Amino acid sequence: MTKKKLEEIKDKYSSIVDDKWTQWSQKNDTPFFNNQVRKVLRNVDIIDPLSIHEYIATDGYFGLEKSLKITPEKVIEIVQKSGMRGRGGAGFPTGKKWQFVRESVQNSGTEAYVVCNADEGDPGAFMDRAILENDPHSVIEAMTIAGYAVGATKGYVYVRAEYPIAVKNIRHAITAARKYGLLGENILGKDFSFDLEVRLGAGAFVCGEETALIASIEGKRGEPTPRPPFPSTKGLYGKPTLINNVETFSAIPMIMFKGPTYWNKIGSKNNAGTKVFALAGNIANAGLVEVPMGITINEIINDIGGGVPNGKKVKAVQTGGPSGGCIPANMFDLKIDFDSLQRVGSILGSGGLVVMDETNCMVDVAKFFIQFSVDESCGKCTPCRIGNKKLLGILDKISLGNAKMKDLVELENLSKIIINTSLCGLGMSSPNPVLSTLKHFRKEYVEHIKGHCPAAACKKLVTYEINEKCINCNRCVPVCPVNAIKGELKEDHFLDKEICVKCGKCAPICPVNAIIKVSK
Amino acid sequence: MKINVNGNEYEIKGASGKTVLEACADIGVNIPNLCYSKNLGLLSSCRACVVEIEGRWNLVPACGVNIADGMIIKTNSPRVLDARKTVLELLLSDHELDCLKCSRTSDCRLKKASEDAQCDAKRFARDKEFVTVDQKNDYIRRNPNKCIMCGRCVKVCAIHQQVDVLAVNGRGFESTVGVAWDKELGSVPCITCGQCVANCPTAALEEAQATNRHDHLQLLKEKIADDKTHVIIATAPSTRVAIGEGFGMKSGTNVQGKMVTALKKLGFDRIFDLNLAADFTIMEEGVEFISKLDNWEGEVKTLFTSCCPGWINYVTMMHPDLIPNISTTKSPQQIFGALAKTYYADKIDIEPKNIFMVMLMPCVTKSSEANRKGIDANSRIKDVDMVVTVREMIRLIKESGIDFKNLDDGKYDDPMGLSSGAGLIFGTTGGVTEAALRTVCEHIMGKKMENIEFHDLRGEKGIKVANVRDLKDKNGNNIRAAVVSGITNAERVIQDIKSGYEHYHYVEVMACPGGCVNGGAMPAHDAIIQDNFGNARNRSKTIYNMDQYNNLRRSHENPVVKQIYDEFLGKPNGKKAHELLHTTHTPRKKYN
């Protein structure tokens, strides 16, 4: 494979890709898509992921071709200039990371590894999946560039086994790239060799943590180890290892091809480029959205997401998955980037964005995420293993209406200690949903202690009632599994709260919405 | 290197690579820790040792951070103390909390740290259900209700012993330390060496004993109280340099005399020295070695020692093809038992069945040897009736209200109380080989040796090799002896031998790293930083010192040995000796 051949393929297939692009943009001429800036997702849903030709036609592998012509130092310089920060969640400057790995490779003189972290585990986040399924070559190209830059000849793509299509497509793409001399010995005729291998994870959330991921690739139990030593000095098989997220890698080829301004001319200060969010929850248009960094939450929710459906009032968004926090509606003019989210007690994380309206109870939300952390903790360190479970216990108590004010103090203290003493990022951030809801929605917690659930979501703290809208149609009566609703057709209906088990089956049956959930 | 701890400046010497935990311990600032052990590498799982370091946003574990010049550390700020207390309270919340009747109550690391931190064990509601104690393994009891998930046992089993039967199962709050597929410890190839027990900071793993009674120590007390039973005890070489640690003495203190007095006060009828039986082992094994040296039939032409039951468990399970190469000589424990129930019983004119033979051992699995099928000379009489570990004996002595520290020195009883220094050094790795070489060279081959100290064979290296110039095989090659401790090293030597990469004529194997001085049932020293190897080093140093100042340093010169051979046994490896002092080994099943 040479540059000339790449260009030949590009010429041959560019018309096909152009057609596909036109079709796609005509089909998707909606605010949801028009308000996005698609850089990382540029090929998603457009090109055929199984066709290396179509990828090449979108300037694919030209970034690699360009990189191999310049020195590795120069490559790292371009990545540094682009202002790229790791999309895995922590936002560590990517160029700096590459620099560290290169330095320790040069100091130790050993081999090194490039690892792609595709162990996407945040509930509701699936941007890595979309990229791997639809544009696998961008990751392969970027990893090859990274291998050249840091001095590695071997790379691993660590994908969770729950992404079978992603696994299939990346494997297919690796084979194709090898066939075209874009992986393997003497890539593009240059004195540089690099190859990739796919490793499957069993779906443990903690394996997205660098050191646990390394342990998992090595075939050990996926448990984090203390840092330092950092993977950049002592990682996979004890060798310097570069670990980047799928989304980070996916932007690299175009940065190399078009120069750092491709990335840093968009976004905000210290937060260059775009970010893909998984917009979910109570929102009209849910899905993956790619927006420039520094866009406000309002813009995402209203301009792209189309607002909250059913005339409900938006209450908060939750960012960053189980490690993130809740941001209340009065702060929606906040510009989303790594730094500003951290300031308000949340994190950008891998880009989950869950919209919540007035029917969402914040205690319930905190409980959901803590339950997730309890399930996904590896169990190695005490604060994360036991502490989160105790947090869950206290939250349970609150949502049952059994808590006292001192439980809120305990909740806060314990959360802070878990953050302060945990071994890895999972534990260090798992209480964030508790702390941020406590910070912004303390009133709701206090209401629970008084015995009310303002959102009428906590089962123990709500009752069902039939209000005056009832037309005595008798449709609810047979639905009730415990015969709590009494009444004959065209006679008054009433609901016996003593018998009612709050299963909620009757409410959606009612044609006039006369059965309502009220807070006690 | 200068560091600032709690507002005071300290100069730390030899500081490179020292952790905050170690540096602070050096200057007398103790940071409680549960999972850290000097010999196991970093686990950093318990988080009890967190400290504040200026410039770090979170609290960092003192065990995992190396000191740097100018580092400002706080180990007692309200933030640190509160976090430490909370972490311990989290551990206590799902702990069994039966401290008073717990076997580790006096040296439990969790209890000590929690006491110092003044923990409220009931601060957090209990979330775990009690699970049944795993008693299927006859020699190690596993009580998950006391486990704090530090991971030490998993690590020692995997790294030092390569037995790897313990692992972390499950995940998160539900994770447990256990056996693969959540089986019992008795159903997997556990060699019951007890290193997991020695490294457990609580009593989640403790020695057990396969008697038909639940509490074998109760049985012992009843036997002592029974006038009709003649209860004798023999003390293993390494016990005398370790048992004092249970009473606050420094590791490696020689308390042989106090130990004998304490045992007398406990009511044992006779206190004998197991070192004597070690001398017999040397006589028998020495002759066996020479007779087999040039007469091997199989591929492997090496004689492996047989005195370590953990090793025998390993080799009969994992390498049954090596069984012909294992010495048939019994271990000192079984030789002593056999002699006690024959020669000694005759001598004092007591029916063997009325003699209750007890062994004091640093070992979790010596009782498995006593129960091994076919080990007894007479199948109707058990040669060794009970094995008491050092830790158990410490508890018995405390229970009887004996002021161990202030006891006078006692003397072993006749006629089986006299022993040589060669028998004594059995207690440490390399000792068996050194003792054997003294006797083989001088007594059997008739070469007078000027220097009987084999320094190549001493020290804590896992694999030590000596070329003996005074002894040659039929091809005229020097005898090569290897001394191995730790099963990981043993496996390496086995592979070397089997692959033909190395040839040794004689290999001594001790399952525990460092030999019996680091046995699985040795007292868990409650030093602020657990260092089992360090304790073992001190103990073995004392043992070598005691040997050096012993007038009797060669097994074959022991007059009691000579006397018993003359009066009773005949010749080493003779007919009677074979009946009483030798055994056979059979392959063992890996999974039950």
Side-chain angles (χ1 to χ4, degrees):
Chain A
M1 181 61 71
T2 57
K3 188 181 178 185
K4 213 174 139 212
K5 274 194 191 153
L6 277 178
E7 273 164 352
E8 277 170 29
I9 295 172
K10 187 183 165 184
D11 288 345
K12 202 169 155 196
Y13 286 88
S14 57
S15 59
I16 300 176
V17 173
D18 285 348
D19 286 350
K20 283 190 169 181
W21 196 87
T22 326
Q23 275 172 22
W24 183 87
S25 46
Q26 278 166 1
K27 196 175 86 190
N28 295 315
D29 187 17
T30 57
F32 182 79
F33 285 102
N34 291 341
N35 285 319
Q36 293 187 36
V37 179
R38 284 168 89 93
K39 300 252 172 198
V40 169
L41 302 178
R42 68 185 192 283
N43 293 331
V44 170
D45 213 17
I46 297 171
I47 64 165
D48 175 6
L50 299 182
S51 160
I52 190 170
H53 299 130
E54 290 188 14
Y55 178 69
I56 292 171
T58 64
D59 295 330
Y61 288 108
F62 284 93
L64 172 65
E65 194 271 336
K66 254 188 167 171
S67 305
L68 294 184
K69 272 195 207 144
I70 54 178
T71 62
E73 285 80 8
K74 201 88 190 159
V75 174
I76 293 175
E77 202 186 305
I78 292 173
V79 175
Q80 257 167 351
K81 268 195 191 148
S82 75
M84 171 60 100
R85 290 173 69 176
R87 260 50 185 161
F92 191 81
T94 306
K96 221 180 196 175
K97 204 179 212 176
W98 290 28
Q99 181 70 34
F100 285 156
V101 179
R102 177 158 185 85
E103 276 166 14
S104 52
V105 169
Q106 283 176 330
N107 291 342
S108 59
T110 60
E111 56 198 318
Y113 296 102
V114 176
V115 175
C116 174
N117 182 350
D119 189 61
E120 192 172 42
D122 280 11
F126 41 90
M127 52 286 281
D128 294 352
R129 176 180 169 179
I131 294 164
L132 280 180
E133 284 183 0
N134 295 296
D135 196 11
H137 281 287
S138 66
V139 177
I140 295 172
E141 186 183 355
M143 288 180 75
T144 315
I145 295 170
Y148 175 68
V150 301
T153 57
K154 173 100 201 176
Y156 291 91
V157 183
Y158 185 81
V159 204
R160 56 197 307 220
E162 289 94 327
Y163 285 178
I165 301 171
V167 173
K168 191 187 108 206
N169 288 3
I170 186 85
R171 279 195 170 138
H172 185 278
I174 289 172
T175 318
R178 267 192 212 129
K179 211 171 120 197
Y180 279 77
L182 296 162
L183 274 180
E185 306 279 312
N186 299 333
I187 293 170
L188 285 161
K190 297 278 186 322
D191 183 24
F192 168 65
S193 304
F194 186 80
D195 210 347
L196 281 179
E197 207 176 295
V198 176
R199 286 290 167 98
L200 301 192
F205 179 66
V206 73
C207 286
E209 201 274 347
E210 290 184 329
T211 56
L213 185 148
I214 288 171
S216 179
I217 293 182
E218 288 174 354
K220 299 180 189 149
R221 180 180 161 87
E223 272 183 359
T225 48
R227 298 183 298 178
F230 289 93
S232 56
T233 50
K234 222 176 153 196
L236 189 58
Y237 305 117
K239 302 283 170 9
T241 304
L242 173 75
I243 304 179
N244 276 141
N245 171 268
V246 174
E247 200 184 328
T248 317
F249 273 135
S250 184
I252 297 290
M254 280 297 115
I255 293 174
M256 292 313 300
F257 181 60
K258 296 192 170 162
T261 47
Y262 171 78
W263 196 248
N264 64 19
K265 72 172 182 231
I266 33 178
S268 59
K269 195 175 166 250
N270 289 334
N271 289 275
T274 59
K275 175 79 194 91
V276 185
F277 289 97
L279 191 58
N282 296 327
I283 185 95
N285 308 319
L288 286 184
V289 298
E290 185 172 356
V291 292
M293 284 279 202
I295 190 175
T296 66
I297 299 175
N298 263 329
E299 283 172 279
I300 297 181
I301 292 180
N302 297 326
D303 299 352
I304 297 173
V308 176
N310 304 331
K312 297 247 170 64
K313 236 176 86 188
V314 66
K315 187 176 190 175
V317 292
Q318 209 277 353
T319 68
S323 315
C326 289
I327 299 161
N330 60 16
M331 292 168 80
F332 277 9
D333 49 2
L334 185 82
K335 289 186 184 337
I336 291 196
D337 59 40
F338 286 110
D339 307 311
S340 60
L341 281 180
Q342 201 141 30
R343 272 196 297 275
V344 298
S346 183
I347 61 163
L348 189 64
S350 61
L353 205 71
V354 185
V355 183
M356 289 170 282
D357 66 23
E358 53 194 336
T359 59
N360 291 106
C361 165
M362 299 319 276
V363 177
D364 210 38
V365 168
K367 227 171 84 178
F368 170 81
F369 283 111
I370 291 295
Q371 179 70 58
F372 182 86
S373 295
V374 168
D375 290 343
E376 293 297 338
S377 162
C378 73
K380 183 171 180 181
C381 75
T382 310
C384 179
R385 179 181 74 244
I386 310 178
N388 280 325
K389 181 79 179 177
K390 303 299 164 187
L391 280 186
L392 185 64
I394 300 171
L395 287 169
D396 260 336
K397 232 164 109 183
I398 295 173
S399 67
L400 290 174
N402 298 336
K404 306 217 165 58
M405 281 307 281
K406 69 167 199 239
D407 287 313
L408 291 191
V409 181
E410 181 75 297
L411 199 61
E412 203 162 352
N413 286 347
L414 184 56
S415 295
K416 282 182 184 157
I417 283 167
I418 294 172
I419 288 173
N420 267 308
T421 58
S422 284
L423 171 63
C424 82
L426 197 159
M428 284 180 198
S429 57
S430 59
N432 280 351
V434 174
L435 284 181
S436 71
T437 47
L438 258 180
K439 186 174 167 193
H440 300 300
F441 300 94
R442 197 179 182 87
K443 245 192 185 155
E444 254 184 64
Y445 279 87
V446 177
E447 282 297 309
H448 278 79
I449 287 167
K450 289 181 186 159
H452 310 291
C453 175
C458 295
K459 215 169 158 186
K460 262 271 149 123
L461 302 180
V462 296
T463 51
Y464 281 83
E465 280 174 10
I466 300 176
N467 67 11
E468 69 289 348
K469 281 196 240 164
C470 176
I471 51 169
N472 304 335
C473 67
N474 206 18
R475 281 164 83 168
C476 53
V477 176
V479 171
C480 180
V482 290
N483 296 329
I485 306 177
K486 308 275 184 326
E488 297 289 322
L489 189 66
K490 294 183 181 169
E491 281 171 19
D492 277 356
H493 288 20
F494 73 96
L495 195 154
D496 190 339
K497 288 177 193 167
E498 296 286 301
I499 302 174
C500 173
V501 290
K502 301 168 190 171
C503 68
K505 276 196 167 167
C506 51
I509 294 290
C510 181
V512 291
N513 292 332
I515 304 177
I516 51 164
K517 216 162 44 164
V518 289
S519 180
K520 261 186 193 168
Chain B
M1 195 180 286
K2 272 205 175 85
I3 57 170
N4 182 313
V5 179
N6 300 333
N8 299 314
E9 294 276 339
Y10 297 94
E11 177 74 39
I12 306 287
K13 295 211 173 72
S16 77
K18 233 178 212 174
T19 61
V20 171
L21 184 67
E22 288 165 335
C24 285
D26 285 354
I27 55 174
V29 176
N30 287 348
I31 304 167
N33 58 88
L34 305 175
C35 68
Y36 186 71
S37 159
K38 245 186 176 161
N39 321 125
L40 290 179
L42 193 57
L43 282 155
S44 211
S45 58
C46 76
R47 317 307 278 185
C49 69
V50 286
V51 294
E52 248 180 285
I53 292 177
E54 208 172 86
R56 303 281 290 256
W57 68 268
N58 59 345
L59 298 173
V60 294
C63 64
V65 177
N66 288 351
I67 54 166
D69 201 26
M71 194 177 251
I72 299 176
I73 303 160
K74 280 185 196 148
T75 72
N76 63 359
S77 66
R79 188 174 161 220
V80 170
L81 295 178
D82 185 36
R84 179 189 299 166
K85 193 170 162 209
T86 306
V87 165
L88 291 167
E89 281 165 345
L90 286 172
L91 286 172
L92 292 172
S93 69
D94 291 295
H95 193 74
E96 191 163 27
L97 290 179
D98 67 343
C99 297
L100 294 183
K101 72 177 172 77
C102 178
S103 67
R104 291 291 301 274
T105 191
S106 59
D107 59 359
C108 170
R109 295 184 82 81
L110 177 64
K111 184 175 167 230
K112 173 84 174 53
S114 309
E115 272 170 8
D116 290 348
Q118 298 155 53
C119 287
D120 171 8
K122 302 244 155 78
R123 173 170 162 198
F124 299 107
R126 189 182 173 89
D127 283 311
K128 261 202 175 129
E129 279 172 32
F130 284 100
V131 295
T132 41
V133 177
D134 172 8
Q135 308 217 56
K136 195 176 170 193
N137 188 315
D138 287 337
Y139 308 103
I140 296 174
R141 185 163 41 228
R142 203 169 58 84
N143 184 353
N145 302 313
K146 287 179 179 170
C147 178
I148 59 165
M149 297 286 298
C150 66
R152 278 186 185 182
C153 54
V154 176
K155 216 160 179 185
V156 77
C157 196
I159 293 180
H160 292 323
Q161 301 304 76
Q162 220 179 69
V163 170
D164 232 342
V165 291
L166 288 168
V168 180
N169 290 331
R171 123 174 145 191
F173 188 69
E174 304 300 327
S175 57
T176 50
V177 166
V179 175
W181 309 292
D182 276 325
K183 288 224 173 207
E184 299 93 348
L185 198 51
S187 359
V188 291
C190 168
I191 61 164
T192 58
C193 65
Q195 278 299 306
C196 54
V197 178
N199 281 285
C200 182
T202 67
L205 288 155
E206 54 182 339
E207 62 262 47
Q209 207 153 114
T211 55
N212 37 16
R213 293 178 61 115
H214 178 60
D215 187 353
H216 63 284
L217 294 182
Q218 183 61 31
L219 175 68
L220 174 63
K221 287 174 216 163
E222 284 163 19
K223 288 285 178 194
I224 289 176
D226 179 9
D227 287 341
K228 281 195 227 94
T229 313
H230 186 70
V231 185
I232 56 180
I233 186 166
T235 64
S238 57
T239 53
R240 68 208 69 200
V241 292
I243 198 166
E245 291 164 36
F247 306 93
M249 297 160 106
K250 267 170 75 180
S251 71
T253 313
N254 171 14
V255 290
Q256 179 176 317
K258 289 186 197 303
M259 180 174 76
V260 172
T261 312
L263 294 175
K264 279 207 171 108
K265 282 184 183 268
L266 275 176
F268 287 97
D269 293 308
R270 291 286 183 278
I271 293 101
F272 292 135
D273 198 349
L274 193 68
N275 299 4
L276 172 74
D279 285 335
F280 277 101
T281 300
I282 289 303
M283 297 301 288
E284 292 297 322
E285 205 166 276
V287 174
E288 183 189 354
F289 172 62
I290 294 299
S291 70
K292 286 185 176 170
L293 176 62
D294 294 320
N295 303 314
W296 288 108
E297 279 172 11
E299 274 288 298
V300 178
K301 300 179 191 320
T302 305
L303 183 73
F304 290 92
T305 58
S306 64
C307 44
C308 171
W311 154 244
I312 293 301
N313 289 345
Y314 181 77
V315 72
T316 51
M317 243 182 324
M318 300 306 199
H319 297 282
D321 53 316
L322 287 181
I323 285 177
N325 295 79
I326 303 170
S327 163
T328 58
T329 308
K330 284 184 188 173
S331 72
Q333 165 179 293
Q334 293 310 126
I335 286 186
F336 200 101
L339 290 177
K341 299 262 168 130
T342 53
Y343 170 78
Y344 174 73
D346 265 2
K347 193 128 194 161
I348 60 165
D349 202 16
I350 293 183
E351 285 273 314
K353 68 174 183 345
N354 289 334
I355 293 180
F356 193 74
M357 180 74 231
V358 183
M359 293 288 164
L360 177 58
M361 282 289 162
C363 181
V364 166
T365 192
K366 268 291 175 188
S367 47
S368 80
E369 185 179 71
N371 292 340
R372 197 188 292 155
K373 250 198 187 142
I375 193 86
D376 298 320
N378 178 340
S379 58
R380 272 162 298 151
I381 301 169
K382 266 191 91 184
D383 285 346
V384 175
D385 295 289
M386 184 180 289
V387 175
V388 177
T389 69
V390 175
R391 275 200 298 261
E392 287 167 345
M393 188 54 78
I394 291 169
R395 294 206 313 267
L396 284 175
I397 292 172
K398 282 183 178 167
E399 185 187 30
S400 287
I402 295 165
D403 180 10
F404 189 88
K405 259 182 152 173
N406 297 316
L407 291 178
D408 294 330
D409 285 351
K411 272 215 160 94
Y412 284 109
D413 289 312
D414 286 334
M416 297 172 87
L418 184 68
S419 62
S420 73
L424 175 68
I425 58 174
F426 260 61
T428 180
T429 168
V432 176
T433 309
E434 184 166 343
L437 288 175
R438 288 179 191 175
T439 291
V440 168
C441 291
E442 292 202 344
H443 184 61
I444 305 175
M445 308 307 283
K447 288 180 182 153
K448 195 76 198 157
M449 289 168 72
E450 305 250 312
N451 185 8
I452 56 163
E453 288 182 359
F454 291 79
H455 286 276
D456 290 353
L457 298 175
R458 297 186 178 186
E460 55 192 310
K461 250 174 67 187
I463 301 176
K464 292 165 284 187
V465 179
N467 282 304
V468 188
R469 258 169 289 143
D470 296 323
L471 270 182
K472 307 215 184 279
D473 65 10
K474 66 176 173 194
N475 301 326
N477 298 322
N478 292 343
I479 295 294
R480 273 167 70 75
V483 169
V484 185
S485 71
I487 294 296
T488 303
N489 296 319
E491 181 61 34
R492 237 168 74 197
V493 166
I494 289 174
Q495 293 308 335
D496 281 356
I497 291 174
K498 280 189 173 175
S499 65
Y501 179 74
E502 278 280 10
H503 177 60
Y504 303 111
H505 298 88
Y506 181 85
V507 175
E508 168 201 322
V509 186
M510 296 291 162
C512 293
C516 305
V517 283
N518 187 27
M522 280 300 206
H525 211 58
D526 52 1
I528 188 64
I529 298 174
Q530 185 153 350
D531 180 11
N532 289 4
F533 288 2
N535 294 338
R537 204 176 305 132
N538 297 339
R539 292 168 193 153
S540 91
K541 216 159 126 194
T542 314
I543 283 184
Y544 282 123
N545 262 338
M546 289 164 78
D547 165 50
Q548 201 181 343
Y549 294 106
N550 199 330
N551 295 329
L552 200 58
R553 298 186 71 184
R554 298 159 174 90
S555 299
H556 54 275
E557 287 176 359
N558 186 340
V560 179
V561 173
K562 285 185 197 163
Q563 188 191 348
I564 295 179
Y565 270 117
D566 289 348
E567 286 179 12
F568 183 67
L569 286 170
K571 271 168 65 174
N573 275 20
K575 187 167 174 285
K576 189 138 197 189
H578 239 285
E579 267 169 33
L580 290 179
L581 311 186
H582 287 256
T583 181
T584 51
H585 300 283
T586 44
R588 258 164 50 112
K589 264 201 331 205
K590 288 187 199 170
Y591 300 92
N592 294 304

